Amino acid sequence: MYPSSQKRILVTGGAGFLGSHLCDRFTAEGHDVICLDNFFTGAKRNITHLLGKPNFELLRHDLVQPIFLEVDDIYNLACPASPFYYQYNPVKTIKTCVMGAINMLGLAKRVKARILQASTSEIYGNPNVHPQKEDYWGNVNTIGPRSCYDEGKRCAETLFFDYHRQNRVNIRVARIFNTYGPRVHPDDGRVISTFIVQALKNRDITVFGEGTQTRSFCYVDDMIEGLVKMMNSPDDFIGPVNLGNPIEFRILDLARVIIRLTGSKSRIVFEPLPVDDPLQRQPDITLAKQRLGWQPYTDLESGLKKTIEYFRDIIQVPNP
Ligand code: NAD
Ligand code: UDP
């Protein structure tokens, strides 16, 4: 358990994949939870089970607009995370990253709340340092199709540190690497959800490029634990800190594992690699281990099995 007293906790993006798991946890712990979401990529089904609880409140609100609330902790997660959705309306993505950060930092400043930013491994861009440590400044294209997200998230980090230096806002910054698990949106184009849905429907599995690009996949339960630990870290450790699973996989190998675990008849097909798709990504989590005593424990196959069961259920594909 973390500091035992009941807190008022705001989760922006609380109806999304990660946000809804945070809402579950804080509601179960007895905190007063406000879930704020505009439902761009979030889903009511992620939080329906919480709606009747006296310590859970849902606010439909767009973070680009200011909001006045009284809270103790703010987890700032509102932002589409999948390339398909964040490129759908790139100007809106930047506004959410930047104006959303300003609005939440202003709120934190006014009510003296602690605020955690869900930053991302994308701030490292297509990295030429491997694995990525927190002191690596990144290799990011400022004008490409991914820039709205990458630069938006970089600017949000800058805002967090400026509000900290200028206004003494009590910040935490966590750089999240690819995370998966139940409640990832089935159609959001992220690789694990896409491959699982394709495999369950026996459709072609679309590997982009030759599939030699790598990612390191963290299961949601491990990530939630890391985010909560980071929020509750001592005030002399504000980040940025990498949170992710350091075990790296080639995308082609991921496709093969998912075909095996689902017993699918799908074929693997190759499609062009999207522009600016990072070729490799692996977190160095030494800092998180040392300062938070955190590391992921769920191996890919165990996490995939739970995720496959979730997708089988929501897209209604029976067990073979
Ligand atoms: P998600 O798309 O499932 O959740 C994002 C939520 O934010 C959704 O519910 C969406 O409706 C909401 N939202 C978007 N724009 C909003 C706005 N303007 N106002 C209010 N709500 C808004 O994504 P996720 O995977 O849960 O990611 C959550 C956060 O973690 C994001 O900030 C993302 O950048 C970060 N992150 C996630 C990953 C990952 O692998 N899942 C990796 C790195 C960073
Ligand atoms: N990818 C793929 N086929 C798909 C979707 C994604 O091969 O149908 C690849 C994508 O090109 C990238 C990796 O999987 O190299 C991870 O993509 P995702 O969108 O999940 O996350 P991100 O690129 O933001 O890490």
Side-chain angles (χ1 to χ4, degrees):
M1 282 296 285
Y2 296 97
S4 55
S5 56
Q6 190 197 38
K7 287 192 277 190
R8 297 162 301 175
I9 303 180
L10 170 63
V11 182
T12 79
F17 162 49
L18 292 176
S20 63
H21 285 278
L22 283 174
C23 288
D24 275 357
R25 175 167 177 152
F26 300 140
T27 309
E29 286 177 354
H31 297 292
D32 233 329
V33 179
I34 301 177
C35 164
L36 181 157
D37 210 292
N38 72 349
F39 292 103
F40 176 48
T41 51
K44 287 209 179 122
R45 68 165 172 268
N46 291 341
I47 42 135
T48 316
H49 56 288
L50 298 175
L51 284 176
K53 306 216 182 269
N55 59 333
F56 179 80
E57 198 177 339
L58 173 64
L59 286 181
R60 181 186 278 268
H61 179 80
D62 196 309
L63 208 64
V64 168
Q65 306 300 331
I67 187 162
F68 292 84
L69 298 165
E70 308 298 321
V71 291
D72 302 302
D73 286 356
I74 304 169
Y75 287 79
N76 188 35
L77 276 74
C79 183
S82 91
F84 175 78
Y85 279 112
Y86 70 63
Q87 291 172 26
Y88 173 79
N89 183 345
V91 173
K92 178 68 190 242
T93 300
I94 301 184
K95 283 186 180 173
T96 298
C97 289
V98 176
M99 294 163 74
I102 291 172
N103 288 333
M104 287 303 100
L105 285 160
L107 172 61
K109 178 182 155 190
R110 181 175 63 79
V111 301
K112 295 193 172 27
R114 188 159 30 174
I115 178 166
L116 179 142
Q117 167 68 356
S119 190
T120 168
S121 53
E122 293 281 331
I123 66 105
Y124 299 120
N126 191 3
N128 37 33
V129 167
H130 197 70
Q132 293 79 55
K133 283 179 76 138
E134 290 84 351
D135 58 7
Y136 175 51
W137 288 357
N139 175 36
V140 179
N141 180 1
T142 56
I143 56 169
R146 294 176 84 106
S147 310
C148 57
Y149 182 77
D150 300 8
E151 295 292 11
K153 288 283 187 178
R154 285 169 70 93
C155 184
E157 284 200 7
T158 308
L159 283 162
F160 267 67
F161 276 80
D162 282 336
Y163 268 81
H164 175 67
R165 282 187 289 258
Q166 197 174 328
N167 301 114
R168 298 183 182 281
V169 174
N170 194 0
I171 63 159
R172 301 288 186 275
V173 174
R175 291 182 181 154
I176 302 172
F177 283 64
N178 297 64
T179 303
Y180 70 100
R183 300 190 193 154
V184 170
H185 198 293
D187 300 323
D188 82 355
R190 277 185 269 188
V191 68
I192 288 192
S193 48
T194 304
F195 284 1
I196 292 178
V197 172
Q198 288 169 335
L200 289 175
K201 293 184 171 175
N202 291 313
R203 292 188 181 149
D204 289 349
I205 305 245
T206 51
V207 168
F208 297 159
E210 293 173 3
T212 50
Q213 72 273 34
T214 67
R215 293 293 187 272
S216 311
F217 297 104
C218 184
Y219 187 65
V220 60
D221 292 357
D222 290 325
M223 181 56 62
I224 295 301
E225 183 65 19
L227 291 171
V228 175
K229 281 197 158 167
M230 184 56 189
M231 177 62 111
N232 291 285
S233 67
D235 285 346
D236 68 347
F237 185 56
I238 60 176
V241 66
N242 288 339
L243 296 179
N245 192 321
I247 301 173
E248 193 180 2
F249 289 87
R250 296 189 322 160
I251 295 302
L252 183 57
D253 296 329
L254 175 73
R256 290 180 179 141
V257 175
I258 289 177
I259 289 174
R260 175 165 57 77
L261 294 179
T262 50
S264 172
K265 298 186 181 61
S266 295
R267 297 177 312 142
I268 292 176
V269 297
F270 295 90
E271 294 189 356
L273 193 66
V275 176
D276 291 341
D277 198 292
L279 296 180
Q280 51 184 7
R281 199 183 283 146
Q282 182 191 28
D284 181 321
I285 59 163
T286 310
L287 193 60
K289 280 185 182 163
Q290 285 171 349
R291 296 302 309 264
L292 304 176
W294 175 86
Q295 64 181 75
Y297 289 103
T298 314
D299 63 84
L300 186 69
E301 288 212 8
S302 315
L304 283 177
K305 283 180 187 158
K306 293 184 200 171
T307 313
I308 289 166
E309 280 323 298
Y310 168 78
F311 280 110
R312 228 186 252 293
D313 199 34
I314 63 160
I315 62 172
Q316 299 189 331
V317 176
N319 263 305

